[in-house]
Amino acid sequence: KKNGFVLLVKLFGLKAYNLHKNYDDGDRLMATFAGMLCDTLNAAGSPEDFVGHLYSDEFCIFTREKKVETICKTIMVKAERLLRSFYTPYELMRGYVTLDDAKDRGHFYLAEGMIAGVEIPANWDSHYIYIVDLLKDLLKKVELDDAGYRIMKL
């Protein structure tokens, strides 16, 4: 048995995108983003790897590839390029969208992807919900990084 990795990929800014554009465009953005994740894993991963949609704006990736850093870096580069294509040049120049909704009002950053990852030892014997909690906490730290991702070992 080999160690494995669980990656939590979050698409920040989806709510603002949906409110600024519309939910059909948001669904198209999500489907395109999911396709990019699958394409990246198919190119850099192995046949046993898996991409799943958890809920809303979160995806998970299961891989045993040692080149997980390369996978993360590739996703970050492709995500930026892909997400930029969903905005107008004016929105890209400003770096935010403005919402004037009764509930959500103000300037909101453009959508971006971030990744938190955990290396799971082959002899892991604890409950997997523990990993989800770790990934959620790690994702908060990723928000402060320029790299856009972090991977930790258990």
Side-chain angles (χ1 to χ4, degrees):
K1 273 182 135 179
K2 297 186 331 188
N3 289 359
F5 296 88
V6 178
L7 305 177
L8 175 63
V9 183
K10 181 161 175 75
L11 183 57
F12 285 92
L14 182 63
K15 180 180 177 186
Y17 183 85
N18 282 335
L19 293 173
H20 179 66
K21 304 282 184 174
N22 61 61
Y23 284 92
D24 289 338
D25 285 348
D27 289 348
R28 192 169 54 83
L29 184 148
M30 288 286 292
T32 306
F33 189 80
M36 178 273 298
L37 293 176
C38 291
D39 291 346
T40 301
L41 206 57
N42 286 338
S46 65
E48 299 87 36
D49 293 348
F50 173 81
V51 176
H53 182 213
L54 294 175
Y55 58 89
S56 184
D57 56 1
E58 292 184 354
F59 297 86
C60 63
I61 294 175
F62 297 94
T63 183
R64 293 199 184 279
E65 284 298 314
K66 292 234 180 248
K67 52 187 174 183
V68 70
E69 292 270 346
T70 302
I71 291 170
C72 290
K73 287 177 185 176
T74 304
I75 288 171
M76 295 307 300
V77 169
K78 287 183 173 184
E80 182 177 358
R81 193 174 307 135
L82 180 144
L83 294 171
R84 290 176 62 85
S85 73
F86 281 84
Y87 291 97
T88 66
Y90 180 69
E91 292 163 343
L92 291 170
M93 181 188 70
R94 288 191 321 177
Y96 62 86
V97 294
T98 302
L99 298 180
D100 197 17
D101 190 58
K103 200 167 131 186
D104 296 293
R105 187 176 301 256
H107 301 305
F108 293 84
Y109 289 115
L110 305 181
E112 64 179 319
M114 293 188 189
I115 305 169
V118 174
E119 182 176 4
I120 304 168
N123 61 350
W124 177 259
D125 63 352
S126 291
H127 200 279
Y128 283 97
I129 198 69
Y130 174 67
I131 294 171
V132 174
D133 291 339
L134 282 174
L135 289 169
K136 294 280 187 180
D137 289 341
L138 187 58
L139 201 56
K140 292 175 187 171
K141 294 176 184 172
V142 172
E143 291 181 56
L144 305 173
D145 284 350
D146 287 335
Y149 73 94
R150 275 194 189 187
I151 299 169
M152 64 179 279
K153 294 183 179 194
L154 292 181

